[in-house]
């Protein structure tokens, strides 16, 4: 049974392959499976058809093929798209990839006109065009995903423009900050991420078609017409470069890696903050799971998985760089390996952005715990030093005075703001009653009242500008 099946598919292959004429024996079954890409590149079907229609119309306009052929091609490709979307299209491994599958079906439907579609074109410029069209649409999805996440961050930041938490350096309590300010740091990272994707989009959005296999074509094609009809900003200027480089995919993956690096850092904080040791936040149950053995557990699975999935996105970037580095000009089959990492990267970041935006809306803040943590860590020590400097003490001396006061606080288990005035005055006679206004958490954050500072008024203005920029 197996053997006769093999024979059947092989002979079909030998007859139907677009390039089979010069071969004396069919491709080995294992090789066929090894070299076929249809299982994953069928995802490009819609853009492949879009590109083919633009190419056919240009061939017609340039009188390279007849207008009747163009009409038949458009009609046939339209029907094929419907079959694909209805799930009734039969994808054949024998036909190697998305391009040959669609072309064969077209020829079955419309005969010779279908065979004329590939005039002046190669799968090399065809696939490069498809990937660029697909990636351009994906970048647009990513950009709206980033924007949605930014909006949900802004919403949460706005509710917490005054909520005080400890700011950390070295994961040690450093100075008080507002939670809104902390969240807006991620808004800024995402803003740069969006800029990176938008910038990569400019280089993605160039048309390879017309490069044909590598050298261009002898037909009187009009590349600008095709570029305009597919919404490209222009054509790839060199045919060898057009069919061979995948730097645009690498740039996309690099931008995706930086995005995931940011979301991974954010995730690490969510994991820490939701741990009962911190208890700064609660993540809504729908983003968490329990333990099969420990009934008390509520695990922050989503942020942990975001942190984990960052690894595969970084890995794909390395994979694509390595894929390119040894390739001589022009097209090599190596490039077929660009798709799976690219698709997986895109899928990962699109769904991560979506789930993250929703997770922001599911965060409940335990403001009392944040405040308590800020009170316990001598977070206003710098404020005391600055107070002494404003009274005339050199900063280095003030630093030393406060260090001694903190040491006293550690020994007596009290924060600076809890000490009596006479106690504080042991460390400097310059300290007077007005010191308590700078030792409070509110006084500390309010005093950082400049662009980029943590004062609630500044956070509100940063939020206002962020909202306006997203409009
Ligand atoms: N499936 C191929 C790819 O993804 C299409 C181009 C094939 N070109 C060729 N000369 N074999 O790269």
């Amino acid at each position: 049974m197996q053997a006769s099946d093999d024979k059947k598919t092989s002979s079909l292959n030998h007859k139907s392959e677009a390039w089979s004429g010069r071969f004396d024996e069919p491709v080995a079954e294992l090789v066929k499976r090894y070299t076929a890409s249809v299982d994953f590149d069928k995802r490009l079907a819609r853009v492949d058809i879009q590109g083919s229609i633009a190419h056919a119309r240009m061939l017609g306009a340039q009188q390279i093929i007849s207008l009747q052929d163009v009409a038949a091609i458009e009609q046939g490709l339209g029907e094929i798209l419907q079959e694909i979307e209805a799930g009734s299209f039969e994808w054949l491994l024998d036909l190697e990839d998305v391009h040959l599958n669609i072309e064969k079906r077209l020829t079955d439907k419309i005969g010779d006109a279908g065979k004329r579609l590939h005039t002046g074109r190669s799968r090399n410029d065809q696939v490069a065009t498809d990937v660029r069209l697909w990636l351009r649409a994906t970048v647009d999805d990513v950009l709206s995903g980033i924007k949605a996440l930014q909006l949900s961050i802004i919403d949460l930041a706005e509710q917490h423009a005054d909520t005080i938490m400890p700011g950390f350096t070295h994961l040690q309590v450093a100075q008080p900050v507002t939670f809104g300010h902390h969240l807006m740091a991620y808004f800024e990272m995402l803003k740069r991420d969006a800029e990176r994707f938008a910038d990569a989009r400019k280089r993605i959005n160039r048309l390879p078609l017309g490069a044909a296999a590598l050298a261009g074509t002898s037909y009187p094609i009009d590349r600008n017409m095709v570029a305009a009809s597919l919404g490209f900003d222009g054509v790839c200027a060199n045919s060898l470069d057009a069919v061979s480089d995948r730097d645009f995919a690498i740039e996309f993956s690099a931008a995706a890696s930086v995005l995931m690096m940011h979301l991974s850092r954010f995730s690490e904080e969510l994991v820490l903050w939701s741990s009962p040791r911190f208890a700064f936040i609660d993540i809504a149950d729908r983003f968490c799971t329990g333990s099969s053995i420990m009934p008390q557990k509520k695990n922050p699975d989503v942020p942990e998985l975001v942190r984990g999935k960052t690894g595969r996105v970084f890995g794909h970037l390395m994979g694509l760089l390595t894929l390119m580095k040894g390739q001589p000009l022009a097209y090599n089959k190596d490039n077929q390996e660009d798709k799976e990492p690219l698709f997986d990267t895109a899928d990962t970041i699109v769904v991560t952005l979506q789930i993250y935006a929703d997770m922001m809306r599911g965060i409940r803040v335990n403001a009392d715990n944040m405040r308590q943590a800020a009170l316990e860590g001598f977070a206003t020590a710098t404020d005391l030093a600055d107070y002494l400097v404003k009274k005339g003490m050199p900063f280095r001396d003030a630093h030393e005075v406060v260090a001694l006061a903190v040491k006293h606080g550690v020994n007596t288990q009290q924060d600076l703001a809890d000490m009596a005035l006479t106690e504080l005055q042991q460390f400097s006679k310059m300290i007077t009653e007005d010191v308590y206004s700078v030792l409070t958490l509110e006084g500390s954050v309010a005093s950082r009242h400049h662009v980029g500072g943590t004062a609630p008024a500044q956070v509100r203005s940063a939020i206002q500008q962020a909202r306006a920029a997203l409009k």
Side-chain angles (χ1 to χ4, degrees), residues 19 35-38 40-41 44 96-99 122-125 127-128 131 246 331-339:
W19 39 259
T35 55
S37 54
V38 65
F40 49 85
D41 68 17
L44 296 172
E96 205 178 313
D97 58 23
V98 61
H99 323 292
S122 155
R123 275 186 296 155
N124 297 352
D125 57 345
V127 71
V131 174
R246 296 292 183 265
Y331 176 87
N332 303 281
K333 187 79 164 181
D334 309 43
N335 278 347
Q336 183 164 289
E337 288 287 307
D338 63 353
K339 287 166 205 66

Side-chain angles (χ1 to χ4, degrees), residues 9 66 72 109 115 148 219 269 300 304 341 358 364 369 426:
T9 46
S66 73
K109 275 176 171 295
K115 295 185 191 163
Y219 298 97
E269 299 208 297
E304 289 174 86
D358 193 25
R364 212 174 48 74
N369 291 345
Q426 295 168 49

Side-chain angles (χ1 to χ4, degrees), residues 174 194 282 311 412 450 471:
D282 270 323
T412 55
H450 53 77
K471 285 257 157 67

Side-chain angles (χ1 to χ4, degrees), residues 166-175 278 373 377 379:
F168 297 88
T169 60
H170 312 271
L171 203 54
Q172 315 277 329
V173 171
Q175 293 173 347
F278 274 78

Side-chain angles (χ1 to χ4, degrees), residues 186 189-190 192-193 196 253-268 306-307 309-311 313-314 349 352 356:
Y186 287 100
M189 295 177 226
L190 289 166
R192 294 192 297 276
D193 286 320
R196 268 182 282 274
S253 304
S257 294
V258 178
L259 169 68
M260 287 303 284
M261 177 273 290
H262 287 148
L263 295 180
S264 182
R265 297 184 69 188
F266 200 176
S267 297
E268 172 63 13
V306 171
R307 202 173 56 187
K309 283 176 187 293
T310 301
V313 174
F314 289 4
I349 63 174
T352 299
Y356 230 96

Side-chain angles (χ1 to χ4, degrees), residues 36 74 148 234 298 372 410:
E74 281 196 46
K298 177 178 152 183
Q372 199 50 42
V410 171

Side-chain angles (χ1 to χ4, degrees), residues 62-101:
Q62 296 297 102
Q63 298 175 3
I64 301 167
I65 64 175
S66 73
L67 295 179
Q68 292 92 298
D69 283 348
V70 178
I73 288 170
E74 281 196 46
Q75 166 79 24
L77 288 175
E79 288 169 21
I80 290 171
L81 183 59
Q82 281 175 10
E83 291 168 18
I84 292 169
E85 286 181 346
S88 62
F89 188 91
E90 198 191 354
W91 296 102
L92 295 174
L93 201 70
D94 279 338
L95 292 170
E96 205 178 313
D97 58 23
V98 61
H99 323 292
L100 296 178
N101 267 272

